[in-house]
Amino acid sequence: MLRLDNVTKIYASPNGQVHALDGVSLDVAAGEFVVLRGPSGSGKTTLLMTVAGMQKPTGGVVSFKETDLYAMTPTQRARFRADNIGFVFQMFHLVPYLNVLDNVLLASGAKGANHSPAQAQALIEKLGLSGRDSHKPSQLSAGEKQRVAIARAMLNKPRVIVADEPTGNLDPENAAVVLGYLSEFHKGGGTVVIVTHGAEADQFADRIISLQAGRIRHEN
Ligand SMILES: Nc1ncnc2c1ncn2[C@@H]1O[C@H](COP(=O)(O)OP(=O)(O)OP(=O)(O)O)[C@@H](O)[C@H]1O
Ligand SMILES: [Mg+2]
């Protein structure tokens, strides 16, 4: 489903070059639940952004079902991403001046499709956010914010959800709830690639991959 072939990412910085990804090759099968681990700065976010079509690698090929993501034009890629990939950020990335419903519906705009508010509303209810649809992000708890972010990632019924420490800012109870939704998406046939430090996601993982200094250290 997802394939990285000798992917490198070099950032230029005033202190010289940073080899954030140093030759990463990886295959993720359709329906797999992959957990990615590694110390701070090991390249996890860079890898997720690259896999999700949001950041062009310096070298190597990233393909999604045989389609070379970075051979597309940026517009084609944005469209492809909206159709196929939902992304959940560590820091929620909700739009502060939009309410819950409009934050969820934002994904529909990215796709250029017309999702009815009813579809977004159904997701809001499914994620236990009934009665919160007119709240702004500042009027939500951390767990609620992350559930809004998951609803947004799911709106277009993507084939893959990529999540960067989605439970990093949550207490254990809310973390379990968020992981439960990701597991449900996975059980319904979805593919999940997730960065997480805690052990809570291990029970759902088909595979745990460790990244160190931009390289895959071991797979099990
Ligand atoms: N835009 C950038 N410009 C220069 N260097 C960057 C940039 N983004 C990331 N880096 C560097 O690339 C390396 C990998 O960063 P990345 O964000 O992928 O790490 P991470 O594994 O997600 O870390 P964390 O667990 O702290 O989130 C780090 O050394 C970081 O300093
Ligand atoms: Mg990171």
Side-chain angles (χ1 to χ4, degrees):
M1 173 120 223
L2 276 171
R3 168 169 289 177
L4 279 80
D5 197 5
N6 199 19
V7 168
T8 57
K9 178 69 189 182
I10 301 173
Y11 294 112
S13 83
N15 303 324
Q17 294 185 334
V18 178
H19 291 255
L21 296 178
D22 196 9
V24 173
S25 296
L26 177 67
D27 265 312
V28 178
E32 241 193 320
F33 194 116
V34 175
V35 169
L36 189 63
R37 293 242 164 81
S40 181
S42 59
K44 302 180 299 296
T45 296
T46 304
L47 182 58
L48 291 190
M49 303 271 282
T50 306
V51 161
M54 295 194 287
Q55 184 165 262
K56 192 176 162 61
T58 308
V61 176
V62 181
S63 43
F64 188 106
K65 285 211 154 208
E66 313 291 319
T67 305
D68 182 343
L69 274 185
Y70 295 96
M72 298 181 202
T73 66
T75 314
Q76 287 171 328
R77 191 164 53 251
R79 181 65 194 256
F80 186 88
R81 221 174 53 216
D83 279 338
N84 294 290
I85 306 170
F87 201 100
V88 181
F89 296 88
Q90 178 179 9
M91 301 302 292
F92 318 125
H93 282 256
L94 300 178
V95 180
Y97 53 85
L98 294 179
N99 67 27
V100 166
L101 180 61
D102 290 332
N103 262 291
V104 173
L105 279 167
L106 211 56
S108 151
K111 192 178 175 179
N114 276 323
H115 283 290
S116 65
Q119 283 171 284
Q121 200 64 255
L123 264 175
I124 287 169
E125 264 161 50
K126 183 176 148 60
L127 291 178
L129 292 163
S130 312
R132 295 287 181 277
D133 49 320
S134 61
H135 284 228
K136 301 277 170 59
S138 63
Q139 299 165 329
L140 298 171
S141 71
E144 287 169 343
K145 278 185 227 175
Q146 200 56 302
R147 280 182 275 149
V148 174
I150 286 180
R152 182 178 57 189
M154 286 179 172
L155 183 70
N156 291 332
K157 298 193 168 60
R159 290 200 250 189
V160 180
I161 289 189
V162 176
D164 194 359
E165 301 193 40
T167 59
N169 293 302
L170 303 181
D171 58 62
E173 207 167 299
N174 275 299
V177 169
V178 161
L179 283 171
Y181 288 118
L182 290 175
S183 157
E184 201 181 310
F185 169 78
H186 174 235
K187 285 193 188 113
T191 307
V192 177
V193 181
I194 180 180
V195 168
T196 177
H197 290 292
E200 327 81 59
D202 290 6
Q203 56 181 314
F204 307 119
D206 294 314
R207 192 144 53 114
I208 300 174
I209 294 173
S210 289
L211 210 60
Q212 192 158 39
R215 291 168 178 258
I216 289 180
R217 201 178 45 168
H218 63 78
E219 294 193 33
N220 54 10

PDB file of all heavy atoms in Angstrom, residues 11-13 18 20 38-47 90 165 197, ligand 1:
ATOM      1  N   TYR A  11      17.694  18.568   5.734  1.00  0.00           N
ATOM      2  CA  TYR A  11      17.308  19.954   5.967  1.00  0.00           C
ATOM      3  C   TYR A  11      18.572  20.803   5.982  1.00  0.00           C
ATOM      4  O   TYR A  11      19.588  20.391   6.551  1.00  0.00           O
ATOM      5  CB  TYR A  11      16.637  20.128   7.325  1.00  0.00           C
ATOM      6  CG  TYR A  11      15.305  19.436   7.506  1.00  0.00           C
ATOM      7  CD1 TYR A  11      15.186  18.368   8.379  1.00  0.00           C
ATOM      8  CD2 TYR A  11      14.170  19.892   6.845  1.00  0.00           C
ATOM      9  CE1 TYR A  11      13.959  17.747   8.590  1.00  0.00           C
ATOM     10  CE2 TYR A  11      12.939  19.275   7.051  1.00  0.00           C
ATOM     11  CZ  TYR A  11      12.839  18.210   7.920  1.00  0.00           C
ATOM     12  OH  TYR A  11      11.628  17.610   8.133  1.00  0.00           O
ATOM     13  N   ALA A  12      18.468  21.990   5.402  1.00  0.00           N
ATOM     14  CA  ALA A  12      19.577  22.932   5.516  1.00  0.00           C
ATOM     15  C   ALA A  12      19.311  23.774   6.750  1.00  0.00           C
ATOM     16  O   ALA A  12      18.184  24.172   6.996  1.00  0.00           O
ATOM     17  CB  ALA A  12      19.618  23.816   4.282  1.00  0.00           C
ATOM     18  N   SER A  13      20.314  23.996   7.558  1.00  0.00           N
ATOM     19  CA  SER A  13      20.139  24.877   8.711  1.00  0.00           C
ATOM     20  C   SER A  13      21.410  25.693   8.872  1.00  0.00           C
ATOM     21  O   SER A  13      22.445  25.355   8.297  1.00  0.00           O
ATOM     22  CB  SER A  13      19.861  24.048   9.975  1.00  0.00           C
ATOM     23  OG  SER A  13      21.077  23.598  10.525  1.00  0.00           O
ATOM     24  N   VAL A  18      21.131  18.786   8.169  1.00  0.00           N
ATOM     25  CA  VAL A  18      20.598  17.778   9.088  1.00  0.00           C
ATOM     26  C   VAL A  18      20.052  16.625   8.251  1.00  0.00           C
ATOM     27  O   VAL A  18      19.159  16.827   7.417  1.00  0.00           O
ATOM     28  CB  VAL A  18      19.452  18.362   9.950  1.00  0.00           C
ATOM     29  CG1 VAL A  18      18.883  17.285  10.872  1.00  0.00           C
ATOM     30  CG2 VAL A  18      19.931  19.557  10.758  1.00  0.00           C
ATOM     31  N   ALA A  20      17.785  14.197   8.378  1.00  0.00           N
ATOM     32  CA  ALA A  20      16.636  13.765   9.187  1.00  0.00           C
ATOM     33  C   ALA A  20      16.199  12.350   8.806  1.00  0.00           C
ATOM     34  O   ALA A  20      15.795  11.576   9.673  1.00  0.00           O
ATOM     35  CB  ALA A  20      15.482  14.746   9.020  1.00  0.00           C
ATOM     36  N   GLY A  38      10.984   6.053  18.510  1.00  0.00           N
ATOM     37  CA  GLY A  38      12.348   6.556  18.351  1.00  0.00           C
ATOM     38  C   GLY A  38      12.548   7.784  19.188  1.00  0.00           C
ATOM     39  O   GLY A  38      11.579   8.483  19.503  1.00  0.00           O
ATOM     40  N   PRO A  39      13.804   8.071  19.557  1.00  0.00           N
ATOM     41  CA  PRO A  39      14.062   9.233  20.390  1.00  0.00           C
ATOM     42  C   PRO A  39      13.700  10.543  19.691  1.00  0.00           C
ATOM     43  O   PRO A  39      13.538  10.574  18.472  1.00  0.00           O
ATOM     44  CB  PRO A  39      15.572   9.170  20.651  1.00  0.00           C
ATOM     45  CG  PRO A  39      16.126   8.096  19.809  1.00  0.00           C
ATOM     46  CD  PRO A  39      15.009   7.305  19.227  1.00  0.00           C
ATOM     47  N   SER A  40      13.588  11.600  20.475  1.00  0.00           N
ATOM     48  CA  SER A  40      13.305  12.923  19.933  1.00  0.00           C
ATOM     49  C   SER A  40      14.390  13.292  18.920  1.00  0.00           C
ATOM     50  O   SER A  40      15.572  13.104  19.178  1.00  0.00           O
ATOM     51  CB  SER A  40      13.291  13.925  21.096  1.00  0.00           C
ATOM     52  OG  SER A  40      12.998  15.198  20.594  1.00  0.00           O
ATOM     53  N   GLY A  41      13.949  13.769  17.759  1.00  0.00           N
ATOM     54  CA  GLY A  41      14.905  14.174  16.734  1.00  0.00           C
ATOM     55  C   GLY A  41      15.331  13.044  15.811  1.00  0.00           C
ATOM     56  O   GLY A  41      16.155  13.243  14.919  1.00  0.00           O
ATOM     57  N   SER A  42      14.750  11.853  15.991  1.00  0.00           N
ATOM     58  CA  SER A  42      15.187  10.710  15.172  1.00  0.00           C
ATOM     59  C   SER A  42      14.557  10.708  13.774  1.00  0.00           C
ATOM     60  O   SER A  42      14.913   9.885  12.943  1.00  0.00           O
ATOM     61  CB  SER A  42      14.875   9.391  15.897  1.00  0.00           C
ATOM     62  OG  SER A  42      13.495   9.288  16.162  1.00  0.00           O
ATOM     63  N   GLY A  43      13.605  11.618  13.541  1.00  0.00           N
ATOM     64  CA  GLY A  43      13.042  11.733  12.194  1.00  0.00           C
ATOM     65  C   GLY A  43      11.619  11.227  12.053  1.00  0.00           C
ATOM     66  O   GLY A  43      11.103  11.098  10.940  1.00  0.00           O
ATOM     67  N   LYS A  44      10.939  10.997  13.171  1.00  0.00           N
ATOM     68  CA  LYS A  44       9.595  10.401  13.108  1.00  0.00           C
ATOM     69  C   LYS A  44       8.597  11.310  12.397  1.00  0.00           C
ATOM     70  O   LYS A  44       7.870  10.873  11.499  1.00  0.00           O
ATOM     71  CB  LYS A  44       9.093  10.082  14.532  1.00  0.00           C
ATOM     72  CG  LYS A  44      10.009   9.155  15.300  1.00  0.00           C
ATOM     73  CD  LYS A  44       9.486   8.866  16.688  1.00  0.00           C
ATOM     74  CE  LYS A  44       9.344  10.096  17.579  1.00  0.00           C
ATOM     75  NZ  LYS A  44      10.636  10.766  17.875  1.00  0.00           N
ATOM     76  N   THR A  45       8.545  12.576  12.816  1.00  0.00           N
ATOM     77  CA  THR A  45       7.604  13.506  12.181  1.00  0.00           C
ATOM     78  C   THR A  45       7.954  13.690  10.709  1.00  0.00           C
ATOM     79  O   THR A  45       7.072  13.706   9.841  1.00  0.00           O
ATOM     80  CB  THR A  45       7.610  14.860  12.919  1.00  0.00           C
ATOM     81  OG1 THR A  45       7.126  14.651  14.251  1.00  0.00           O
ATOM     82  CG2 THR A  45       6.724  15.879  12.237  1.00  0.00           C
ATOM     83  N   THR A  46       9.249  13.792  10.436  1.00  0.00           N
ATOM     84  CA  THR A  46       9.691  13.941   9.044  1.00  0.00           C
ATOM     85  C   THR A  46       9.211  12.746   8.215  1.00  0.00           C
ATOM     86  O   THR A  46       8.688  12.915   7.106  1.00  0.00           O
ATOM     87  CB  THR A  46      11.226  14.048   8.991  1.00  0.00           C
ATOM     88  OG1 THR A  46      11.635  15.130   9.833  1.00  0.00           O
ATOM     89  CG2 THR A  46      11.713  14.285   7.577  1.00  0.00           C
ATOM     90  N   LEU A  47       9.349  11.552   8.778  1.00  0.00           N
ATOM     91  CA  LEU A  47       8.914  10.347   8.065  1.00  0.00           C
ATOM     92  C   LEU A  47       7.404  10.373   7.807  1.00  0.00           C
ATOM     93  O   LEU A  47       6.952  10.108   6.688  1.00  0.00           O
ATOM     94  CB  LEU A  47       9.314   9.097   8.865  1.00  0.00           C
ATOM     95  CG  LEU A  47       8.984   7.751   8.228  1.00  0.00           C
ATOM     96  CD1 LEU A  47       9.639   7.619   6.864  1.00  0.00           C
ATOM     97  CD2 LEU A  47       9.433   6.610   9.122  1.00  0.00           C
ATOM     98  N   GLN A  90       0.100  16.071  16.294  1.00  0.00           N
ATOM     99  CA  GLN A  90       0.289  16.017  17.742  1.00  0.00           C
ATOM    100  C   GLN A  90      -0.419  17.179  18.442  1.00  0.00           C
ATOM    101  O   GLN A  90      -1.039  17.008  19.479  1.00  0.00           O
ATOM    102  CB  GLN A  90       1.784  16.043  18.082  1.00  0.00           C
ATOM    103  CG  GLN A  90       2.026  16.036  19.578  1.00  0.00           C
ATOM    104  CD  GLN A  90       3.494  16.044  19.934  1.00  0.00           C
ATOM    105  OE1 GLN A  90       4.342  16.213  19.069  1.00  0.00           O
ATOM    106  NE2 GLN A  90       3.795  15.875  21.199  1.00  0.00           N
ATOM    107  N   GLU A 165       1.935  11.221  17.295  1.00  0.00           N
ATOM    108  CA  GLU A 165       1.715  11.301  18.739  1.00  0.00           C
ATOM    109  C   GLU A 165       0.319  11.832  19.075  1.00  0.00           C
ATOM    110  O   GLU A 165       0.182  12.831  19.786  1.00  0.00           O
ATOM    111  CB  GLU A 165       2.789  12.185  19.384  1.00  0.00           C
ATOM    112  CG  GLU A 165       4.193  11.647  19.136  1.00  0.00           C
ATOM    113  CD  GLU A 165       5.245  12.301  20.008  1.00  0.00           C
ATOM    114  OE1 GLU A 165       4.953  12.544  21.184  1.00  0.00           O
ATOM    115  OE2 GLU A 165       6.340  12.579  19.507  1.00  0.00           O
ATOM    116  N   HIS A 197       4.752   7.028  21.969  1.00  0.00           N
ATOM    117  CA  HIS A 197       5.812   6.617  22.890  1.00  0.00           C
ATOM    118  C   HIS A 197       5.329   5.600  23.902  1.00  0.00           C
ATOM    119  O   HIS A 197       6.072   4.721  24.311  1.00  0.00           O
ATOM    120  CB  HIS A 197       6.400   7.835  23.600  1.00  0.00           C
ATOM    121  CG  HIS A 197       7.189   8.692  22.672  1.00  0.00           C
ATOM    122  ND1 HIS A 197       8.370   8.277  22.113  1.00  0.00           N
ATOM    123  CD2 HIS A 197       6.942   9.912  22.147  1.00  0.00           C
ATOM    124  CE1 HIS A 197       8.827   9.214  21.297  1.00  0.00           C
ATOM    125  NE2 HIS A 197       7.972  10.225  21.302  1.00  0.00           N
TER     126      HIS A 197
HETATM  127  N1  LIG B   1      12.492  22.468   9.031  1.00  0.00           N
HETATM  128  C1  LIG B   1      13.623  21.971   9.569  1.00  0.00           C
HETATM  129  N2  LIG B   1      14.825  22.556   9.328  1.00  0.00           N
HETATM  130  C2  LIG B   1      15.954  22.052   9.840  1.00  0.00           C
HETATM  131  N3  LIG B   1      16.007  20.949  10.602  1.00  0.00           N
HETATM  132  C3  LIG B   1      14.847  20.329  10.899  1.00  0.00           C
HETATM  133  C4  LIG B   1      13.595  20.808  10.390  1.00  0.00           C
HETATM  134  N4  LIG B   1      12.615  19.984  10.845  1.00  0.00           N
HETATM  135  C5  LIG B   1      13.224  19.048  11.583  1.00  0.00           C
HETATM  136  N5  LIG B   1      14.568  19.243  11.614  1.00  0.00           N
HETATM  137  C6  LIG B   1      15.554  18.382  12.282  1.00  0.00           C
HETATM  138  O1  LIG B   1      15.413  17.070  11.754  1.00  0.00           O
HETATM  139  C7  LIG B   1      15.530  16.090  12.765  1.00  0.00           C
HETATM  140  C8  LIG B   1      14.286  15.204  12.786  1.00  0.00           C
HETATM  141  O2  LIG B   1      13.170  15.984  13.189  1.00  0.00           O
HETATM  142  P1  LIG B   1      11.741  15.338  13.447  1.00  0.00           P
HETATM  143  O3  LIG B   1      10.805  16.429  13.737  1.00  0.00           O
HETATM  144  O4  LIG B   1      11.414  14.444  12.302  1.00  0.00           O
HETATM  145  O5  LIG B   1      12.039  14.458  14.743  1.00  0.00           O
HETATM  146  P2  LIG B   1      11.045  13.609  15.667  1.00  0.00           P
HETATM  147  O6  LIG B   1      11.595  12.215  15.697  1.00  0.00           O
HETATM  148  O7  LIG B   1       9.657  13.773  15.198  1.00  0.00           O
HETATM  149  O8  LIG B   1      11.260  14.259  17.102  1.00  0.00           O
HETATM  150  P3  LIG B   1      10.189  14.493  18.309  1.00  0.00           P
HETATM  151  O9  LIG B   1      10.037  13.156  18.994  1.00  0.00           O
HETATM  152  O10 LIG B   1      10.890  15.461  19.205  1.00  0.00           O
HETATM  153  O11 LIG B   1       8.919  15.009  17.735  1.00  0.00           O
HETATM  154  C9  LIG B   1      15.764  16.853  14.068  1.00  0.00           C
HETATM  155  O12 LIG B   1      17.139  16.818  14.349  1.00  0.00           O
HETATM  156  C10 LIG B   1      15.316  18.271  13.765  1.00  0.00           C
HETATM  157  O13 LIG B   1      16.097  19.203  14.476  1.00  0.00           O
END
